[in-house]
Amino acid sequence: MDQHITESIGRPDLIRLDDRLVCLRFETMKVVSALAAVRHLLDTGVVRRGDTLLDSSSGIYAYALALTCHRYGLRCHIVGSATVDHTLRTQLAVLGATLEQMEPCSDLKLDQKRRVERIHEILAEHPGYHWMRQYHDDVHYLGYRSIADRIREATGTADGLTVVGGVGSGASTGALTRYLREDSPHAADVELVGVQPYGSVTFGSEHVNDTEMIIAGIGSSIPFGNVSHELYDTLHWISFDAALAGSVDLLRRHAVFAGLSTGAGYLAARHERERSPHRTVLFIAPDTGHRYVDTVYARHREAAPITDLAPREVADRSELALPWSRMRWNRAAA
């Protein structure tokens, strides 16, 4: 029996959609990284019960950190993006977390820059606060060890496995792949496919603008220290419209109700499965679709059939183009 809701929320479901396509579905994935990170900080004496944990978030990590602080008797202070919605604001308030939300801003880079600047101001005022640094501290890798073990057990072997997921902070895809490769006799048998939105600096697509909407959480307008570029074999850049089509098809075809980044990952995973007929392809669904009812699922009639979509194969980032591009990264450095 679970002792706290974080244990339940952080435990993913492994769903076989067909013989070679598997969905790793979370209710809220970042609970996994927040829970293990905070437990490590408590065990090593870096923080103590009653301390205040601080970080910046566009939404999901704020909820994960607030839940973790609730479990361990810590205070939580979030500098939040304008994308934090009413439902999450209410949950954070009831959980006792403090939220400072940035004013709306059309420039994502400016929004992230302002949040980081505010973090430094708060630390100057309250030097006893602990900044979690979800984008830069690899303590956030720790929680994914047990998830990697579950994947290995459920799929029978890590050999011939392709992991697909939004890059984001780099923690989930990076940690899962690192742990899976450590325990595989041949590291090449575990391939990693990262999914990015256009406009993200992480893998150099900042020169391409998606006029519809940037997919929150899987890209960045500033460099992230937790992204280990040399782990990735292939990159997919996917637009909002293509990801919308993926999300709608995933719900319609497989009854999996998940977020927009999952729709992008699903598209990339289907493509990789067709390219490698003997490999098992697993894609990460980091959250549910509830936040996207109005922006994505209400527009389901607009969704293009995914059979009409295919990536543009590029050899260089200068060739990137909407709505979907694919490039071999070959485990290159940043």
Side-chain angles (χ1 to χ4, degrees):
M1 183 181 295
D2 294 330
Q3 301 302 308
H4 192 270
I5 190 65
T6 48
E7 296 173 15
S8 174
I9 290 176
R11 185 184 303 112
D13 303 308
L14 276 160
I15 306 165
R16 187 173 292 281
L17 303 186
D18 64 28
D19 61 336
R20 292 187 298 104
L21 186 63
V22 177
C23 177
L24 180 68
R25 178 195 175 274
F26 292 86
E27 182 175 340
T28 305
M29 183 181 69
K30 290 201 173 182
V31 167
V32 173
S33 55
L35 199 61
V38 172
R39 189 162 52 234
H40 176 77
L41 294 172
L42 286 165
D43 290 345
T44 55
V46 175
V47 300
R48 296 179 295 177
R49 289 178 66 89
D51 285 355
T52 298
L53 304 186
L54 168 71
D55 215 342
S56 165
S57 173
S58 59
I60 296 298
Y61 186 79
Y63 180 52
L65 188 60
L67 287 171
T68 301
C69 288
H70 181 276
R71 178 174 187 175
Y72 288 120
L74 296 153
R75 296 185 177 89
C76 179
H77 191 107
I78 299 293
V79 178
S81 166
T83 59
V84 175
D85 60 21
H86 173 71
T87 300
L88 180 54
R89 288 197 302 270
T90 303
Q91 287 176 291
L92 293 176
V94 174
L95 286 167
T98 304
L99 171 68
E100 291 186 39
Q101 190 167 10
M102 295 289 101
E103 293 295 322
C105 177
S106 59
D107 186 335
L108 179 61
K109 185 172 184 178
L110 179 59
D111 175 71
Q112 289 187 319
K113 181 174 181 290
R114 289 191 307 177
R115 281 189 275 145
V116 172
E117 288 174 348
R118 179 56 187 148
I119 290 284
H120 286 292
E121 291 173 357
I122 293 169
L123 288 171
E125 298 165 8
H126 304 280
Y129 285 12
H130 181 80
W131 183 13
M132 290 298 296
R133 303 178 74 245
Q134 64 151 322
Y135 303 129
H136 305 291
D137 191 339
D138 64 5
V139 71
H140 290 90
Y141 274 44
L142 297 176
Y144 294 100
R145 163 64 80 177
S146 62
I147 309 299
D149 292 341
R150 283 198 62 198
I151 291 170
R152 188 180 307 103
E153 293 169 7
T155 59
T157 176
D159 297 348
L161 177 68
T162 299
V163 177
V164 180
V167 177
S169 70
S172 60
T173 50
L176 286 174
T177 303
R178 183 171 290 172
Y179 294 139
L180 287 166
R181 285 178 182 164
E182 282 177 1
D183 297 324
S184 172
H186 306 290
D189 291 332
V190 181
E191 292 195 352
L192 178 56
V193 176
V195 180
Q196 285 272 274
Y198 291 95
S200 172
V201 305
T202 307
F203 284 90
S205 69
E206 61 269 28
H207 60 290
V208 184
N209 182 39
D210 187 346
T211 56
E212 179 69 58
M213 174 181 167
I214 293 176
I215 306 172
I218 67 171
S220 176
S221 62
I222 57 176
F224 286 167
N226 270 343
V227 177
S228 297
H229 293 73
E230 66 278 5
L231 293 174
Y232 295 84
D233 295 281
T234 303
L235 268 297
H236 286 251
W237 288 267
I238 296 179
S239 70
F240 172 87
D241 288 338
L244 182 151
S247 298
V248 170
D249 188 88
L250 181 60
L251 179 57
R252 181 178 290 138
R253 190 185 303 260
H254 299 289
V256 176
F257 182 50
L260 191 61
S261 62
T262 302
Y266 170 64
L267 270 188
R270 283 175 55 93
H271 181 78
E272 295 300 323
R273 179 195 57 181
E274 296 308 310
R275 293 180 64 95
S276 304
H278 303 297
R279 300 180 67 84
T280 294
V281 180
L282 176 143
F283 69 96
I284 301 170
D287 62 351
T288 66
H290 295 87
R291 291 198 304 156
Y292 301 94
V293 169
D294 292 332
T295 55
V296 174
Y297 289 100
R299 299 171 57 181
H300 64 92
R301 292 182 180 84
E302 303 173 25
I306 60 170
T307 51
D308 293 348
L309 299 173
R312 169 191 174 98
E313 297 288 337
V314 302
D316 186 86
R317 285 166 291 182
S318 63
E319 302 170 15
L320 293 176
L322 298 166
W324 183 3
S325 298
R326 178 186 185 272
M327 188 177 85
R328 289 292 296 174
W329 187 260
N330 297 318
R331 306 188 188 185

